[in-house]
Amino acid sequence: VPAGLFDREEVDGVERVISGSFSAAESNPAGIMDLFLAIQTGMVESAGLIFLVLFAGGMFEVIEKTGAIKAGILSTISNMRGKEFLLIAVITTLFAVGGAVGALANSVIPFVAIGVVLARALKLDAIVAVAITFNAAFIGFAAGFLNPYTVGIAHNIAEIPLFSGMTFRIISFVVLISITIWYTWRYCKTIMNDPSRSLMGVLEADDEDPELTADFTTRHKLILTWTALALAFFVLAVVLFEWTTDHMAAFFIIIGLVAGIIGGMNYNTLTLTFLEGCKKLVYGALIIGVARAVLVVMENTNILDTFVNSLSAPLELFPPVLTAIGMFIINSIFNLFIPSGSGQAAIMMPIQVPLADMIGINRQISVLAFQFGDGLSNAIYPTSGPLICLLYTSDAADDSLRV
């Protein structure tokens, strides 16, 4: 790949590529040692984002271990018996909100049993169980109006205010979840009217299943209330105090600490639980550093701008709307090979940001193209670990409940 560089200028504190300034540069090939040094450099340069992901995992693990999330969902189910549509709509929305704030991404897998229990009680099938848990969570994840793993990282790389443009993402969330609820309920009604039309066969019903009951304690309510208020305050702090991803990582520690104290955890249990949550996201966190290493190599060898220039030439022939859609399609395809939202952000955003600048597309649009391309394709790709695991788990959960 021939080396080349763009001239850059600083506008309002943000570095931008000057369109049409691309020129050949001296080649600087990378040796074997350079490749491994790039991994170390990538980890160091991505340290802030890596710890953001780890601390988010720790926080959500503490909240989940208190039982507040499960108790809240099961309490909702218990209080809405006999109101099938409202029940489906509320449970789907709860899981979608969890996905939108990053609480239920990979961690949605254990909750599939709740979906199976609910589907059994309503005489539905395992497809519904997956739809109201996994599908809802990842539709929310795609909209991600407060998602630290995708939007937070992408905004950091794009050098735009953290979680800016939230109004549009909230509108997108409402539209996406409304379609999801309508489509799921349409399938549910088909099975209710004629069980033989189920694509998998309805689950054996048990209207008095004890798994549908929950003791939703005052502590559980306080934990969920504290978490909601804390996240709302963070959004306000981003606007008023210009908080960044570093503040968010620190704030996650505070949220987890207070939630654990409310939940009655002693300091040993709280610490070990937080670390357990961090451990679960080590893979995703390190992927950010490895993905950054790819960019380190491309920057050191002076070929990153060559790729951007090659992509910009044909895209400049199309209207901005079609270019944005093209970015969405590219991200959707790319997600098949790197099914990690944070890792994909670390690779794609440094390429898409200068590309957007040259073509005249707002950087927010480039973030949305990545966000939707990554999020929506998670629901169908066989390389998505959570999807494959959840499909297996839904079948295993049904078998265990039968026993």
Side-chain angles (χ1 to χ4, degrees):
V1 178
L5 293 171
F6 281 106
D7 293 330
R8 287 170 166 78
E9 61 181 353
E10 192 169 293
V11 180
D12 298 326
V14 177
E15 189 179 79
R16 297 180 182 273
V17 167
I18 300 176
S19 181
S21 64
F22 181 81
S23 60
E26 182 179 353
S27 180
N28 183 33
I32 295 297
M33 194 60 187
D34 293 325
L35 298 181
F36 290 96
L37 283 172
I39 296 177
Q40 159 69 8
T41 304
M43 295 291 176
V44 172
E45 292 183 357
S46 304
L49 299 178
I50 289 173
F51 284 106
L52 170 70
V53 171
L54 293 178
F55 292 164
M59 177 196 71
F60 288 125
E61 182 73 11
V62 170
I63 296 171
E64 186 177 328
K65 284 293 184 182
T66 64
I69 296 176
K70 183 176 181 180
I73 293 172
L74 290 179
S75 177
T76 302
I77 293 174
S78 298
N79 293 330
M80 290 187 176
R81 287 178 181 272
K83 303 174 183 177
E84 288 84 358
F85 171 75
L86 191 59
L87 181 57
I88 293 293
V90 170
I91 295 302
T92 301
T93 302
L94 287 176
F95 275 95
V97 170
V101 301
L104 294 175
N106 295 350
S107 58
V108 73
I109 295 171
F111 290 94
V112 68
I114 295 176
V116 171
V117 169
L118 178 57
R120 284 164 58 85
L122 297 179
K123 302 178 179 64
L124 299 171
D125 60 19
I127 292 177
V128 176
V130 173
I132 63 177
T133 53
F134 171 85
N135 197 48
F138 272 86
I139 285 297
F141 189 88
F145 54 80
L146 196 61
N147 192 327
Y149 305 122
T150 53
V151 178
I153 291 174
H155 278 174
N156 180 278
I157 296 173
E159 298 182 72
I160 53 181
L162 187 63
F163 298 123
S164 54
M166 186 179 294
T167 301
F168 181 80
R169 292 197 301 280
I170 291 176
I171 294 173
S172 300
F173 173 83
V174 172
V175 172
L176 289 171
I177 197 58
S178 297
I179 294 173
T180 302
I181 291 171
W182 169 79
Y183 190 81
T184 303
W185 179 243
R186 181 171 173 266
Y187 181 68
C188 291
K189 281 186 66 178
T190 299
I191 300 175
M192 289 175 177
N193 294 331
D194 183 2
S196 66
R197 296 186 66 182
S198 167
L199 298 177
M200 297 186 67
V202 297
L203 302 174
E204 294 181 8
D206 186 353
D207 296 328
E208 302 300 326
D209 197 323
E211 293 289 338
L212 284 176
T213 61
D215 186 14
F216 193 32
T217 66
T218 301
R219 282 190 175 187
H220 292 151
K221 295 174 184 177
L222 287 174
I223 290 169
L224 294 181
T225 301
W226 153 250
T227 304
L229 291 176
L231 291 175
F233 172 77
F234 179 82
V235 174
L236 188 65
V238 168
V239 177
L240 297 179
F241 312 129
E242 298 183 352
W243 279 14
T244 64
T245 50
D246 288 341
H247 293 88
M248 191 173 200
F251 204 59
F252 281 157
I253 300 175
I254 297 173
I255 295 176
L257 179 64
V258 175
I261 293 173
I262 296 174
M265 293 183 179
N266 61 45
Y267 66 91
N268 274 333
T269 302
L270 178 53
T271 302
L272 292 174
T273 302
F274 191 90
L275 292 175
E276 182 66 24
C278 294
K279 185 171 71 174
K280 288 182 178 180
L281 289 182
V282 165
Y283 169 78
L286 294 183
I287 280 292
I288 298 174
V290 175
R292 178 62 191 173
V294 176
L295 270 299
V296 169
V297 172
M298 295 177 73
E299 289 172 348
N300 290 344
T301 56
N302 295 328
I303 63 173
L304 175 60
D305 286 359
T306 302
F307 277 96
V308 174
N309 184 62
S310 299
L311 288 170
S312 66
L315 290 178
E316 285 178 341
L317 303 175
F318 298 98
V321 172
L322 292 181
T323 301
I325 294 174
M327 286 183 175
F328 163 75
I329 294 173
I330 290 172
N331 278 280
S332 298
I333 296 173
F334 195 75
N335 194 40
L336 176 65
F337 305 101
I338 300 185
S340 165
S342 51
Q344 188 172 335
I347 290 180
M348 294 302 294
M349 291 311 301
I351 296 175
Q352 285 191 181
V353 167
L355 186 60
D357 288 345
M358 286 192 300
I359 297 174
I361 295 177
N362 189 293
R363 290 189 176 189
Q364 290 283 8
I365 301 298
S366 68
V367 171
L368 287 170
F370 148 72
Q371 177 188 343
F372 292 152
D374 165 70
L376 296 175
S377 59
N378 278 321
I380 60 173
Y381 280 165
T383 51
S384 172
L387 172 60
I388 301 304
C389 182
L390 189 137
L391 292 176
Y392 171 79
T393 304
S394 64
D395 184 55
D398 179 39
D399 289 342
S400 65
L401 288 172
R402 289 171 189 269
V403 174

